[in-house]
Amino acid sequence: RGETPGKIYGLSAANGRLFASSHLGPIHCFGAAGGEAKTVAPARENPWSPEPLKAAGGAAKHLLEQAGVSKGYALLLGAGDGAFAAELVRQSGLNVVCVESDPAVAETARRSLAAAGLYGARVSVQVVPSGPLPHTTGMMDLVARVPDAPDTVPFTADEAWRVLRPYGGVMCVAGDADALELGAGREFVRLRLA
């Protein structure tokens, strides 16, 4: 007889064992009496070198301070190498969606985030070549541009405003707030929808 924390959502039996998944995430395995209990965690690595990761951590901290948003949904325009998204997830309660126009850049970010054990649960990368963003109007609590994303990311300010949550959503863009350009850079201008 064994106990599991949380509410069990699924059961499966194979090779004389019972597998149970809970709402908390872990999968528990039960076998015949006398076996030794052990925890197996997925292998995780840090795919980013120290200096770029430190820079991404500083930029994420700065964005979070400027935005004043620490939970909900964030839309990042561009994916970069994934380090900025990873740091946003690590430093906040945000669920992060990156939109990237270049499939190769998106794949690199996905692989890096997966290697770090972050991809899928609270961060995803979507390929959106151009045009309207595939998100519901007013869905995002925070919209920002990845600091190291190229200026060629083809998302307009109008689309960024459309997906931003009314009455409290925050857009942090680089440059002049009046121009609403989503240009690259590490200095953010905070714009809040009232």
Side-chain angles (χ1 to χ4, degrees):
R1 177 181 162 123
E3 293 186 22
T4 61
K7 184 176 184 179
I8 299 300
Y9 279 161
L11 294 173
S12 180
N15 298 326
R17 292 184 173 87
L18 176 67
F19 298 88
S21 63
S22 76
H23 81 287
L24 298 175
I27 298 174
H28 304 274
C29 176
F30 300 95
E36 182 180 326
K38 62 181 174 181
T39 301
V40 178
R44 296 196 173 149
E45 61 182 68
N46 182 358
W48 302 284
S49 56
E51 286 306 310
L53 189 61
K54 183 178 178 182
K61 180 179 179 187
H62 182 67
L63 171 63
L64 292 168
E65 288 170 354
Q66 292 297 310
V69 175
S70 62
K71 62 183 180 178
Y73 286 89
L75 177 68
L76 293 182
L77 304 175
D81 61 2
F84 185 69
E87 285 300 315
L88 275 181
V89 166
R90 287 183 180 138
Q91 295 181 35
S92 73
L94 288 166
N95 294 292
V96 176
V97 178
C98 302
V99 289
E100 175 59 55
S101 60
D102 184 336
V105 172
E107 185 59 26
T108 298
R110 282 185 190 124
R111 288 181 188 272
S112 296
L113 290 161
L118 298 172
Y119 190 77
R122 287 189 39 222
V123 64
S124 65
V125 180
Q126 301 172 337
V127 176
V128 181
S130 64
L133 293 167
H135 306 98
T136 302
T137 298
M139 176 182 174
M140 301 296 172
D141 298 286
L142 173 65
V143 175
R145 184 183 177 101
V146 172
D148 60 352
D151 287 332
T152 56
V153 175
F155 306 110
T156 66
D158 287 342
E159 272 300 286
W161 281 114
R162 182 186 64 78
V163 300
L164 193 62
R165 179 176 66 85
Y167 305 106
V170 175
M171 184 183 311
C172 286
V173 295
D176 183 0
D178 294 329
L180 290 182
E181 292 181 12
L182 301 174
R186 293 201 187 277
E187 289 303 315
F188 295 98
V189 176
R190 179 176 175 227
L191 307 166
R192 183 177 292 274
L193 286 181

